[in-house]
Amino acid sequence: MTATQRPTRASLQSAALAAPRPAPRQSPRPTPLRVVAPGERTPQARLRRRRLTVFGLAALAVLGLFGLVAEHTVLAQQQFRLASLQSQAAAEQAQNQALQLQVAQLQSPSRIVSEARTKLGMVPPAGITYLVPGQKGAKVKGQPTPAPPPSHTSSSSSSSSSSSSSSSSSSSSASAAP
């Protein structure tokens, strides 16, 4: 064939038939079977076992790292909670001290006396009378004196109503006693 001629189909087929064919692939010969001793492993089994061991150790290392990260996260959260509780405890202690001071002020005798005089209208007694029990009856030591009237500046209608109610209760008790 020349360069100007075109190859025909028949010439291509004959050229393909004449070309040397590659030798068919022969599969490797199977190894002959033999008796395996107990505990002996084949090379493939050893390789498989080695891969499994490496994979297992890698997975264990990754799980260990995740465990450490989780533990660190929980520890950080607990530290924040602890700091919050400590600040709350400090605030509660300050409030407790303020309340104890308030209780001490409210329990002071001078405050109680001033409240009794201003709000309740109480007055100190003019004298103190003691009753001493005896064989023939009670003896009175000292001179009993009536208490002075309250000196608070409330409306006269409330004081007159309280005095009228106390006088009516005393008259009813006197009339009830024979």
Side-chain angles (χ1 to χ4, degrees):
M1 270 199 206
T2 61
T4 59
Q5 290 182 343
R6 292 180 105 181
T8 63
R9 181 187 251 181
S11 65
L12 286 177
Q13 285 179 351
S14 64
L17 290 177
R21 284 188 171 181
R25 286 191 174 189
Q26 292 183 356
S27 61
R29 281 188 153 190
T31 55
L33 298 178
R34 63 182 177 92
V35 177
V36 179
E40 183 180 350
R41 293 195 185 356
T42 63
Q44 293 89 5
R46 279 184 268 162
L47 181 63
R48 194 175 329 126
R49 187 169 193 112
R50 193 174 313 136
R51 285 180 185 165
L52 184 62
T53 303
V54 168
F55 178 75
L57 289 175
L60 188 62
V62 168
L63 286 175
L65 288 175
F66 277 123
L68 286 174
V69 168
E71 182 179 347
H72 181 70
T73 303
V74 169
L75 182 63
Q77 288 173 346
Q78 294 300 325
Q79 285 177 338
F80 283 127
R81 185 170 181 252
L82 179 63
S84 171
L85 288 175
Q86 284 175 341
S87 66
Q88 185 181 359
E92 295 295 330
Q93 284 178 345
Q95 183 182 8
N96 186 18
Q97 287 178 348
L99 289 174
Q100 284 179 347
L101 177 64
Q102 185 180 7
V103 166
Q105 289 172 346
L106 291 174
Q107 287 179 342
S108 72
S110 61
R111 190 198 78 65
I112 292 173
V113 168
S114 70
E115 290 291 320
R117 283 184 181 165
T118 57
K119 291 186 179 175
L120 300 175
M122 299 177 97
V123 293
I128 300 175
T129 305
Y130 297 96
L131 297 177
V132 181
Q135 293 179 359
K136 295 182 181 177
K139 292 186 180 179
V140 177
K141 280 189 169 182
Q143 199 57 268
T145 56
S151 62
H152 66 288
T153 59
S154 66
S155 66
S156 61
S157 64
S158 65
S159 63
S160 65
S161 66
S162 65
S163 63
S164 65
S165 64
S166 62
S167 63
S168 64
S169 65
S170 63
S171 64
S172 64
S173 62
S175 63

